[in-house]
Amino acid sequence: MENGRHDFCYDGTIEGLLCVYIRCISMKVRPLSIKPDYMVIGTPYEDRYIFIRSDVKRADLLYKYVGECSSAEVQQMLLDCFLTSLPNKELDLFELVCRAIRYGARIAEDYEDPTMHRIQMAIRDLYRESQLLVSGLKFCVESDVSIAELNPRNCVLPLIKRKILSNPTYDDLLAYDKRHALLLLRHGAENEIIDIHKLSIPPVNGSKLLYETFWPYVLNGRSCTCNGLTKRKSDGLDSLWRIA
């Protein structure tokens, strides 16, 4: 691939990131940087970024192709690393995708390569933190709704979602990851994870304020908006992250 100064911006989803990789591969360029849009829009550097629209179907095709060229293990590494706090993970994952397509499954065992080593260590840290967090997670009760506030280093909520929901102690619940701006909501038999990065709301702290800010969205129906809260289209998240 050619080396060019190309900065790319995506919507913050795994699907959006895979669409950036598709553009880079088609352009035969290596990205200089890749950033989620909430880190770019409104900054003095916004004009230098090429925004790539997310397309779930195209992203899924690339994801499947990576698996065909390599293995399910490499696919899982891609999904897991996306949830980590690894600096410049978008660039490291681009290398992972390119190497998976070129060299196949053996890249997963290449512990001597600095990029693969960083990815492996980041994934280990992700699972270690998720296990520690879920074992010590405490919920407060506000108007019969169990509420927890999280501040994890890695984006562990998709990993611990099933464990939280399987706990018979909690019925209606709201878990808020303030570092990654994610909400896990459950009301009755329905549950979902919502990305609230783009909301113009003041910082929310404490179970009472969390309940007053976000729970009306659940009560008023999932297709509505409440306090500016809207559900991100996430069909591809359930297929690619395998978090359902």
Side-chain angles (χ1 to χ4, degrees), residues 68-82:
E68 291 169 2
C69 294
S70 57
S71 66
E73 180 184 1
V74 174
Q75 285 180 311
Q76 192 62 49
M77 289 175 63
L78 170 62
L79 304 183
D80 289 342
C81 187
F82 182 75

Side-chain angles (χ1 to χ4, degrees), residues 79-149:
L79 304 183
D80 289 342
C81 187
F82 182 75
L83 299 178
T84 72
S85 59
L86 180 66
N88 297 315
K89 66 185 176 186
E90 292 90 351
L91 296 180
D92 280 346
L93 285 177
F94 177 71
E95 293 297 325
L96 173 70
V97 167
C98 291
R99 294 178 192 184
I101 294 172
R102 185 171 182 180
Y103 301 114
R106 62 190 175 91
I107 67 165
E109 306 300 327
D110 188 359
Y111 299 105
E112 300 299 322
D113 179 81
T115 299
M116 297 306 300
H117 181 72
R118 282 195 302 272
I119 291 174
Q120 293 279 16
M121 292 300 101
I123 292 172
R124 289 185 189 181
D125 182 62
L126 168 72
Y127 278 92
R128 185 183 304 113
E129 183 180 27
S130 67
Q131 291 171 1
L132 289 173
L133 192 149
V134 76
S135 64
L137 191 60
K138 296 185 183 300
F139 281 83
C140 299
V141 177
E142 192 71 40
S143 299
D144 296 325
V145 178
S146 299
I147 298 176
E149 187 173 357

Side-chain angles (χ1 to χ4, degrees), residues 8-14 34-44 46 49 51 82-86 89-90 153 155 177-182 195-199 232 241:
F8 294 92
C9 176
Y10 70 108
D11 64 1
T13 68
I14 182 68
I34 305 173
K35 301 290 184 184
D37 55 7
Y38 60 83
M39 295 180 62
V40 172
I41 295 175
T43 70
E46 180 178 348
Y49 281 85
F51 180 78
F82 182 75
L83 299 178
T84 72
S85 59
L86 180 66
K89 66 185 176 186
E90 292 90 351
R153 182 175 58 260
C155 185
D177 178 349
K178 61 182 180 181
R179 183 185 298 269
H180 301 96
L182 291 176
D195 185 337
I196 59 171
H197 266 117
K198 299 176 185 178
L199 295 187
R232 184 179 73 184
W241 271 0

Side-chain angles (χ1 to χ4, degrees), residues 3 6-7 19 26 30 59 63 90 107 123 144 151 160 193 201 217 228:
N3 286 315
H6 296 274
D7 299 286
C19 288
S26 66
R30 293 188 181 277
Y63 175 74
E90 292 90 351
I107 67 165
I123 292 172
D144 296 325
N151 189 30
I160 66 176
I193 291 180
I201 59 174
Y217 165 78

